[in-house]
Amino acid sequence: MIRQIPSSLLEGAVEELAKLPGIGERTAMRLALFLLKQDDDFVNDFTGAINRMKKEVRYCKICNNISDSEVCSVCSDRNRDASIICVVENIKDVMAIEATMQYNGVYHVLGGLVSPMDGIGPSDLFIESLVTRVASGTVKEVILALSSTMEGDTTNFYLYRKLSGYDIKITTLARGISVGDELEYTDEVTLGRSLLNRVAFDNNI
Amino acid sequence: MIRQIPSSLLEGAVEELAKLPGIGERTAMRLALFLLKQDDDFVNDFTGAINRMKKEVRYCKICNNISDSEVCSVCSDRNRDASIICVVENIKDVMAIEATMQYNGVYHVLGGLVSPMDGIGPSDLFIESLVTRVASGTVKEVILALSSTMEGDTTNFYLYRKLSGYDIKITTLARGISVGDELEYTDEVTLGRSLLNRVAFDNNI
């Protein structure tokens, strides 16, 4: 169906839309024809919002979180506990943790994970600024909230070595069976970890 | 997860992306963060192609098909048989029929179907220009290739009345069991129609 596009302008838009993750050529065609059918204002608002985001979005100078201003809404919130820093890979993780409503500390967004395979070393990430924050002396705890992949473990190890000289608590997220999951269907590594890291019963009530 | 967007610029882009058909808020967030991660050129190309399509795309002055120039690639192709006009609802149908590689005539895109419920009357569609084309005397056959819905049938009926005064053949698409389908699972209306409109066996070889 896609081979027969009668307009190179439509074809160009379809090609661009198909570059989005999870959008195939057929969906891209549907989206392009949808946009073509809308009035000019709709399309201007659509492309304008994307352009504006790309051009004007800023990153917090303290924690590297996405922000509209120099300091993000978390770092500038005086009700948050700035002595606890949760280290995450990216802003998606910040949003995921914020959505739990269980965390009242601040963040530090690394912007990636150490991955020699992809040529990403510690100097490509916002690690020095984390060390500077810790070195300032006001931090009591650093929570390493990275994914439990090879890259996450490598980064955890590197951060641990960088930070272990300071008088702070270094913690990591609890790994275990998901809430609501059945033992029977849990993979053995996770089940084993949640046995090793078992907690006092009254913690879970 | 979406409630906690730390940037109104990101939020704005997510809202716009979520207006696309079939794109929910979570997918919109994924697309927005993807766009945010690409370099400036990528995003400029992306929004530029959409803006350009919206601003510069033209519609063929003969058949109302989408086109980059005054006359579309089908109408300007001298190998196509201009005496057969296939009447379709929109340009998606043109592309669908072109993809079959079974049609060598030209098209006429109505731009919609007569739908009193939605306030769309014959005057809102490109019907007059079709009548003018037929009246010019070079047309031998008009194929009504509209969907078999109430709106399609209404439009067919209106077109038939408008065109039946001219010395042309008026045909419509064959309805029947899809190629590869089993009788057992075909709805009774379709099966009934394909019985009524049965064709000589050698036509199907």
Side-chain angles (χ1 to χ4, degrees), chain B residues 33-153:
Chain B
L33 290 174
F34 170 82
L35 287 166
L36 197 56
K37 243 175 101 179
Q38 309 309 307
D39 56 28
D40 287 350
D41 283 351
F42 184 100
V43 176
N44 284 339
D45 288 351
F46 179 82
T47 54
I50 293 171
N51 282 334
R52 218 172 314 119
M53 170 187 75
K54 182 65 191 163
K55 270 189 207 119
E56 296 175 21
V57 113
R58 297 163 76 172
Y59 295 90
C60 175
K61 65 171 184 175
I62 300 175
C63 74
N64 193 34
N65 187 13
I66 195 172
S67 172
D68 287 347
S69 48
E70 233 185 14
V71 175
C72 76
S73 51
V74 175
C75 287
S76 59
D77 184 347
R78 287 173 50 186
N79 291 319
R80 310 279 301 220
D81 184 351
S83 72
I84 307 178
I85 298 179
C86 181
V87 178
V88 293
E89 179 184 348
N90 56 42
I91 54 175
K92 279 185 251 189
D93 299 332
V94 172
M95 286 188 271
I97 294 177
E98 284 297 282
T100 68
M101 317 254 243
Q102 298 290 320
Y103 181 63
N104 196 39
V106 295
Y107 294 94
H108 193 86
V109 181
L110 293 180
L113 295 174
V114 176
S115 172
M117 292 279 284
D118 302 316
I120 302 173
S123 60
D124 299 314
L125 308 175
F126 290 85
I127 291 181
E128 272 316 306
S129 55
L130 173 64
V131 176
T132 310
R133 284 175 84 181
V134 171
S136 75
T138 54
V139 178
K140 288 183 193 144
E141 179 176 357
V142 167
I143 305 170
L144 300 175
L146 306 177
S147 22
S148 54
T149 58
M150 186 137 71
E151 289 78 18
D153 288 343

Side-chain angles (χ1 to χ4, degrees), chain A residues 34-35 42 45-50 52-53, chain B residues 2-5 7-33 35:
Chain A
F34 169 83
L35 287 166
F42 183 100
D45 288 352
F46 179 83
T47 54
I50 294 171
R52 218 170 316 118
M53 170 187 75
Chain B
I2 300 299
R3 265 172 309 158
Q4 316 280 343
I5 301 180
S7 151
S8 64
L9 292 160
L10 175 59
E11 198 174 355
V14 170
E15 270 170 21
E16 288 297 328
L17 285 161
K19 287 182 188 167
L20 294 176
I23 306 283
E25 266 195 71
R26 261 167 198 270
T27 308
M29 172 60 81
R30 200 160 47 86
L31 299 182
L33 290 174
L35 287 166

